[in-house]
Amino acid sequence: MALVLTHLGRERRGLTQDAKTKPIHATKAARAQMKSHPAARHVEMKRRLSEDREYHFQRGPLSLMRPAVFFDRDGVLNEDDGYAFDPDKIRWVEGAQQAVKAVNDAGYFVFVVTNQSGVARGFYEERHVRKLHEWMSRELAIVGAHIDAFEFCPHHPDGLIERYRVLCNCRKPQPGMIRALLERYPVDIDSSFLIGDKQSDVAAAQAAGIAAHLFDGSNLHAFIAPLLKDRPLHRVQPHSVRVDGG
């Protein structure tokens, strides 16, 4: 990551090796032209942003674009018992841990995107959600599986807690959580998909431009195995787990 940041920093300051070798008068002329033509300046800024993003995703440490599986949480990974937050009361869906490991072994990113309106309703706090996700990560590690990132939305327009009583762009069916992950990770969007148990999950995936599959509540490993079959295997090095808020 240091190499990427160094390159990008030099690029923005005009200090790449190529820039150093250009005549000074040419650089001054180019700057004058940019100042005198706002439209040209706008195009140049867009070009640089595009190149920075391409460099970061294609030539940086996370050089391999990889597909991802986005899991809803309640009703897909764990049984939906209504506003779950206590690890002692969590029941894994049958085959869920094995499903996550299968996705890991196939070289996909594994993400969780979950609405947690219980925070807005005052049933529990954000720290309880994070604590549960940390527990899930530890449980998955026992079987050699991991989740790359958790995203959750604590909002609800009818919430009792004022600061969470908002119409946001992260609560599914809005695609905000998915898009946030797409911005942070080098995801191959065309080969990625979401597994959810509600139409709002499907709608969020479609709005973000990825495929979606409605889980039928059966064995999750058996459900996902055909979706991974015949897809390219993406071998990656082990990496740390991130637990993020939505």
Side-chain angles (χ1 to χ4, degrees), residues 46-175:
K46 289 183 66 177
R47 181 189 67 79
R48 284 184 175 240
L49 286 172
S50 177
E51 288 181 354
D52 284 358
R53 189 176 190 277
E54 180 180 353
Y55 184 88
H56 176 73
F57 280 158
Q58 296 185 7
R59 297 164 63 187
L62 293 174
S63 58
L64 207 60
M65 298 291 286
R66 290 195 276 146
V69 175
F70 296 79
F71 288 102
D72 176 42
R73 199 194 76 184
D74 302 332
V76 176
L77 291 177
N78 57 271
E79 298 289 350
D80 190 353
D81 293 326
Y83 304 108
F85 71 94
D86 185 351
D88 292 336
K89 298 179 180 179
I90 291 295
R91 297 179 298 127
W92 289 97
V93 165
E94 184 179 1
Q97 292 161 294
Q98 293 74 20
V100 173
K101 188 175 189 307
V103 177
N104 293 152
D105 292 344
Y108 286 57
F109 288 116
V110 179
F111 301 131
V112 172
V113 287
T114 175
N115 289 345
Q116 291 299 312
S117 68
V119 176
R121 298 176 191 276
F123 296 151
Y124 47 85
E125 300 176 2
E126 288 193 51
R127 63 186 177 88
H128 295 115
V129 180
R130 295 190 177 94
K131 181 179 178 181
L132 175 56
H133 291 166
E134 291 167 0
W135 175 85
M136 294 177 77
S137 295
R138 291 193 297 270
E139 288 289 300
L140 288 167
I142 294 173
V143 299
H146 70 270
I147 290 170
D148 293 281
F150 292 83
E151 284 284 326
F152 68 93
C153 171
H155 310 116
H156 194 281
D158 299 323
L160 295 178
I161 309 301
E162 184 176 1
R163 68 178 180 275
Y164 297 117
R165 192 190 308 134
V166 295
L167 283 171
C168 63
N169 65 359
C170 55
R171 178 175 170 79
K172 294 176 291 184
Q174 298 300 318

